[in-house]
Amino acid sequence: MNARTSRTVVAAALVLGIAVGPVPPALAAGTPAAAGHSAQRETTGQAPDAEALRAAIQGLPKDDATAALVRVSGSGGDWRGSAGVHDLASGRPADPDGRFRAGSVTKVFTAAVVLQLAGEGRLGLDRPVRRYLPDLIPAGYKDVTVRQLLNHTSGIPSVGSGGDLDDAYAHRFDLHDPVRTVREATSQEPDFVPGTQQHYANIGYTVAGLLIERVTGDTYASQVSRRILEPLHLKDTYFPGTDPSIRGPHNHGYQLFGTGELRDVTVWGATDAWAAGDLISTTADLERFTRALFGGQVVRGPLLQEMFTLPDASVREYGTGKPAAYSAGLSVMRLGGREVWGKTGGRWGYNTVVAATRDLSRTLVYSVNSTDAKGDDMNPTALNIVVAAFGAPSAG
């Protein structure tokens, strides 16, 4: 199968919200590493394919990415790799422990807190959201349930500026109010009858963040910190609030603009994403979180299964008719003959993935400093990391 055909097949098989492509040939023994490249392997049993993983991040910085941080773990052993540069001006090696914008990986944390609250009896997944937010959710959305927020079947339409990258850059420091965002969205007609279709978007998780605040009487960020970050000792993970910078060690993110100019977009506000995508973290913290989550240490008992359950087969993707792809916080596809669950995230200059087999025999976390982080096609470096870690897509 040639590279073009492989990418077409991958796009058709896509469920995680990412595409995957062919891995370049493994590096020959003794080939010099790219600037800033380092890797470590701890072998217990059959280890990850270290050569394919090295090849996936070899040569950075290059046109599609300036840096990559990768952690692969599991019963077969662990692999750690970093490549590229901290910033283009200095050219010094990328910090393997650097913080980055995790984007929509935030949704996994938000979903986990909602499920915890359900487990405590403080809300019901099948109850209408309007029961908890009667002053915010209008009668036209009275049938939307909490579960439908989490699995993107609420029918609440997306809202946004609708501008291009230049417009987004000009407004990168604007502050956004989640209540106003929800009011704007729910002032419109639903995209579809709740529960009948699936439309992946931020709006359901913006409502979920407000739901957490209403039920607990506390801020969304405080609740996630108290319930997840602190117990798991995720000391490098935090919510930036209105601060557009990344605190502590981090590698710069760059975005390619239509004029061909590559701009440093590291400093960029995230209040537009809030509970759907504002988290800042590290690969080590996200790996620890993934293992704890899948292992039942974050969401306990039967409610954890919500994160591994797709909507009924009759529910199709809005606008395309494809099968529904998302559960409460996660998504699934088959790679290398295995079922892999995970979540992608993208903010300008940064792409992130957390993914794992259900039994934790293999986990993957990466941050790729993509120069087209919100492009229609998957970043080539990220493509190759996924396939090197899990294998090629396979039929269900």
Side-chain angles (χ1 to χ4, degrees):
M1 182 182 294
N2 61 38
R4 184 173 182 178
T5 302
S6 178
R7 291 193 182 211
T8 301
V9 170
V10 169
L14 184 61
V15 179
L16 268 177
I18 57 176
V20 287
V23 180
L27 300 179
T31 301
H37 183 282
S38 64
Q40 177 182 357
R41 184 178 68 184
E42 302 171 9
T43 304
T44 55
Q46 183 177 355
D49 189 339
E51 291 302 304
L53 287 163
R54 288 192 190 99
I57 60 176
Q58 176 71 8
L60 299 181
K62 53 187 180 182
D63 288 347
D64 70 282
T66 59
L69 314 178
V70 183
R71 296 176 73 93
V72 179
S73 296
S75 58
D78 303 330
W79 188 91
R80 310 284 183 256
S82 64
V85 295
H86 166 269
D87 66 280
L88 293 175
S90 72
R92 74 176 192 261
D95 183 346
D97 301 316
R99 293 172 174 172
F100 50 83
R101 301 189 187 281
S104 285
V105 170
T106 309
K107 292 181 175 71
V108 189
F109 288 76
T110 303
V113 171
V114 172
L115 292 172
Q116 285 185 1
L117 292 170
E120 295 163 11
R122 301 175 73 175
L123 56 78
L125 296 181
D126 292 315
R127 291 177 179 172
V129 179
R130 193 166 190 254
R131 173 172 179 165
Y132 307 101
L133 297 168
D135 53 326
L136 184 60
I137 305 299
Y141 289 90
K142 64 181 177 61
D143 294 327
V144 173
T145 68
V146 175
R147 179 181 281 106
Q148 290 163 354
L149 295 178
L150 300 183
N151 67 14
H152 304 282
T153 61
S154 71
I156 302 175
S158 298
V159 293
S161 62
D164 58 14
L165 176 55
D166 288 296
D167 182 66
Y169 184 80
H171 293 278
R172 66 193 183 281
F173 300 133
D174 288 0
L175 299 180
H176 300 264
D177 176 17
V179 170
R180 185 175 303 152
T181 298
V182 173
R183 290 197 190 283
E184 181 183 352
T186 56
S187 69
Q188 303 175 36
E189 291 296 315
D191 282 340
F192 47 81
V193 175
T196 63
Q197 298 185 64
Q198 187 174 74
H199 184 195
Y200 178 82
N202 284 347
I203 189 62
Y205 279 76
T206 302
V207 179
L210 294 170
L211 177 63
I212 290 170
E213 296 195 335
R214 181 65 59 87
V215 169
T216 64
D218 193 9
T219 67
Y220 146 76
S222 175
Q223 282 292 302
V224 178
S225 296
R226 184 175 70 80
R227 291 169 173 272
I228 300 176
L229 306 190
E230 294 170 10
L232 295 181
H233 305 290
L234 306 183
K235 58 183 178 61
D236 290 313
T237 301
Y238 74 98
F239 297 95
T242 59
D243 183 358
S245 64
I246 300 176
R247 300 197 303 264
H250 61 276
N251 302 308
H252 287 228
Y254 296 86
Q255 191 73 26
L256 185 65
F257 283 66
T259 59
E261 177 189 5
L262 195 64
R263 296 183 195 171
D264 189 325
V265 293
T266 307
V267 181
W268 193 307
T271 58
D272 60 319
W274 194 51
D278 66 347
L279 192 75
I280 290 173
S281 191
T282 63
T283 55
D285 273 8
L286 290 181
E287 181 183 76
R288 179 178 294 181
F289 168 69
T290 301
R291 298 190 70 82
L293 178 70
F294 281 48
Q297 298 172 41
V298 179
V299 179
R300 301 179 187 278
L303 284 168
L304 177 59
Q305 192 58 34
E306 291 287 334
M307 305 193 85
F308 301 98
T309 303
L310 299 178
D312 184 88
S314 64
V315 176
R316 315 296 284 188
E317 183 182 13
Y318 177 64
T320 70
K322 296 178 181 178
Y326 294 90
S327 63
L330 299 175
S331 185
V332 65
M333 71 178 304
R334 290 190 66 82
L335 294 169
R338 294 174 291 188
E339 200 173 76
V340 177
W341 291 85
K343 187 71 190 75
T344 60
R347 295 292 295 177
W348 302 114
Y350 299 89
N351 281 137
T352 303
V353 152
V354 297
T357 55
R358 183 68 182 85
D359 63 359
L360 292 172
S361 61
R362 178 63 53 85
T363 70
L364 166 68
V365 176
Y366 72 63
S367 170
V368 172
N369 293 58
S370 168
T371 60
D372 188 16
K374 291 179 176 286
D376 293 334
D377 297 322
M378 182 58 181
N379 176 270
T381 296
L383 295 177
N384 294 333
I385 293 170
V386 172
V387 173
F390 288 110
S394 54

